[in-house]
Structure formats: structure tokens, C-alpha cells
Amino acid sequence: MSRAMVLAASVRVVGRMLVPALAVLAVSCGSGEAVDPLVVGAQQPAQSRVLAEIYAQALARTGTAVRVEPGLGDRREVLDALAAGTVTVAPDHNGALLADLNAGADAETVEVVTEELNGSLPQDTVTSDPADGTDFEPRVLVTTATAEQRGFGSVGDLVKQCSGLTAGTAAVPGLLDLPAVAARISGCEFTAIQQFADPAELRHALVDGRIQVAVLGGPVEFLPGGTDGLTVLADSGDAIRAQNPVAVLRRGVLDERQAEKLNYVAGELTTGELAALVLRVRDEGADPADLARSWLDAHGL
């Protein structure tokens, strides 16, 4: 082989070696110039931290650089951060968010709350689909004896007879903040309403007969002692405002694939699963990031 042929062959080999090297360099340069990671904000409650990790890791699985910003303050601080662009995504409840944005809104069902919320959000903010399989609205309970004596099978039955009854309410530690209007029962005016420090005290007051109706600020999974001897009154959807998790988003930042991923998450979330995750973080000190990873894996997300 002539010296010219050897030289040409060597050039071709070096050229083939340089192509992938240059490709890697281009990717590296591109990565170095990548946009800042999307920020998912989390408030202090365990539920907020769990949902923030689920949203963040779901987005990361689309190839997006994401980080969680913990320790945000109240809902107003979250909305301000979204408006300023320092946060891109944050978890909330549709009904509670609507109550803060539009105190006069008259909406209870998931569909109507969603419609009212979309019309009440700041212009730079939108939401994902509500997790309609995750029902975190307040639960109304009476003793089984009271239910039998008064014929209470639903919240609608209670509304017809709530005059003359004393009710008690209690928030659930670890859940996203629900304003007082979120626990209202449309069409029901109790003789008196007592506020209790926690769900355990609320349950004791109901069992002891100090109150006739208990309004728990979340699902019964958060009621210590369970529901033995108690009846949970079913709501047809028009007496108590819906409280479903939603991802609140800065408008125009997520692309179609990223937004779709959050909607897939909403479609997979359930009341029981989310409650179990929140309890593990709140009561056992479990790492929200680990729980989110396991949940996403289990649901193929």
C-alpha cells in the first residue's frame, strides 16, 4: 500500500473517531447551556411535600431537569412565587384554592369547582386536571345510633334536620390548608359549632354525645380510632365543596408532554393511596422522595 493510501485510511479512521467525540462535545455544550431546572414548590404540610415529590419526579421522567423547593409559606406566597417565576409547579386543593381566590364562588361539585377555579386564577396561572379519584373533601360523621334514630344515610338527610344539632369540626394535621368555607355544608345551619384541636378530640366528643355531628377536615383514613360505632354520611357532591389535588402551574412553561405527564398522575392518584403516603410522612418520618419514587414505579409513570 502506498504512503498516500495509508495516510488516507488513517484520516478516515481518525474522522470516524472524531464524529462521536464531537457529538458528545455538542451535547455537553448544550447541557452546559441548558435552561435552569423547573422548580416544584412545597409547603410544610406532609401532603404538600408528598405531592411535590410526585410531580417533580414525574416531570423528571420526561427528561426534564427538576428540583423541589421546600418550605414555602401560605397559599398567597405560593401564588406570588408562581407569578414571579421562581416556582413553576405547586400542589394544592381545587376547592380550597377557589375559596381563597373567590370567596363568593358558589360551587361544590368537582366539575363546577374546576370551571369556577379556571375563571378565578391569575392570568399567569393554570392548573392540571384535578385528581378526581382523590377525594379529600371534609367527611361528615354521626354515631351509628344517631343515624338509625334520625334516618341519616347521607348529608342530604342531615341537611333536612340539622337545625337543633350541635356540630364539631377539626382540621387534619399534615393536609394542605382548608379555609373555613371548605368545611361548610350547604343548606345546613347548626345550632352551634365547636372547634376541636385535633381529630382524636373530635371523635371523643361525638362518641361522648357532646356533639351530634362531626365534620372532619379530610378523609376518614385520618380519624384516630377508625369509624367503629360511627356512620360516615355520603355526599352526593352538592353539599360539601370538592377538595381534589391539583398541580398549579405557571402558564406557558410546561410543554405538552410535561403537562400530559401531570394529568396522568392525576388520573392515577386515589384517596386511599395518597392518605397512606401522607400518614407515613407525617407519623413515621418517611422520606417523601422515596415514597414518590415507589408510587410512580408502581403505577408505571
Side-chain angles (χ1 to χ4, degrees):
M1 181 181 295
S2 69
R3 177 176 297 180
M5 293 175 64
V6 171
L7 181 59
S10 299
V11 169
R12 286 196 296 271
V13 171
V14 172
R16 286 196 297 270
M17 294 174 65
L18 282 174
V19 169
L22 289 172
V24 170
L25 180 60
V27 170
S28 298
C29 290
S31 299
E33 298 171 0
V35 297
D36 292 335
L38 296 180
V39 178
V40 180
Q43 295 173 267
Q44 183 56 38
Q47 184 190 7
S48 183
R49 289 182 283 141
V50 168
L51 287 171
E53 286 290 349
I54 289 175
Y55 295 154
Q57 292 187 37
L59 289 169
R61 294 182 183 200
T62 69
T64 307
V66 188
R67 69 178 178 86
V68 174
E69 178 64 37
L72 293 182
D74 60 16
R75 187 170 286 116
R76 178 48 53 189
E77 181 177 329
V78 173
L79 290 173
D80 288 345
L82 286 163
T86 55
V87 166
T88 304
V89 181
D92 210 328
H93 283 143
N94 52 3
L97 180 56
L98 174 61
D100 267 8
L101 293 172
N102 184 357
D106 184 16
E108 310 299 343
T109 65
V110 177
E111 295 78 13
V112 180
V113 166
T114 299
E115 181 180 352
E116 291 273 2
L117 179 58
N118 287 335
S120 302
L121 286 166
Q123 290 186 347
D124 53 13
T125 308
V126 295
T127 69
S128 67
D129 291 344
D132 53 11
T134 312
D135 178 8
F136 268 51
E137 73 177 31
R139 299 301 196 268
V140 180
L141 303 97
V142 297
T143 64
T144 300
T146 297
E148 292 173 351
Q149 291 167 4
R150 291 180 172 266
F152 290 161
S154 68
V155 175
D157 296 329
L158 171 66
V159 169
K160 299 172 185 175
Q161 304 181 49
C162 60
S163 178
L165 299 178
T166 298
T169 66
V172 175
L175 297 192
L176 284 158
D177 176 51
L178 296 182
V181 69
R184 71 180 184 180
I185 301 176
S186 294
C188 189
E189 294 291 338
F190 294 110
T191 298
I193 299 177
Q194 299 180 30
Q195 181 70 45
F196 291 90
D198 56 54
E201 287 192 15
L202 177 68
R203 190 186 195 284
H204 290 152
L206 182 62
V207 172
D208 293 346
R210 287 177 281 150
I211 58 176
Q212 291 79 53
V213 180
V215 182
L216 177 69
V220 292
E221 284 86 348
F222 295 99
L223 185 67
T227 58
D228 287 348
L230 305 178
T231 295
V232 184
L233 300 182
D235 177 31
S236 62
D238 56 2
I240 300 174
R241 178 165 291 176
Q243 300 292 343
N244 308 93
V246 291
V248 189
L249 318 172
R250 180 170 169 79
R251 184 186 295 273
V253 176
L254 299 190
D255 62 28
E256 184 176 350
R257 186 183 179 204
Q258 293 163 339
E260 187 176 63
K261 192 74 167 182
L262 294 182
N263 288 338
Y264 284 150
V265 167
E268 292 292 323
L269 279 170
T270 66
T271 304
E273 286 183 337
L274 182 55
L277 295 177
V278 172
L279 286 169
R280 288 199 59 192
V281 173
R282 189 192 74 179
D283 298 344
E284 302 173 19
D287 184 354
D290 291 341
L291 296 180
R293 186 176 304 109
S294 297
W295 184 85
L296 289 165
D297 288 346
H299 289 267
L301 295 169

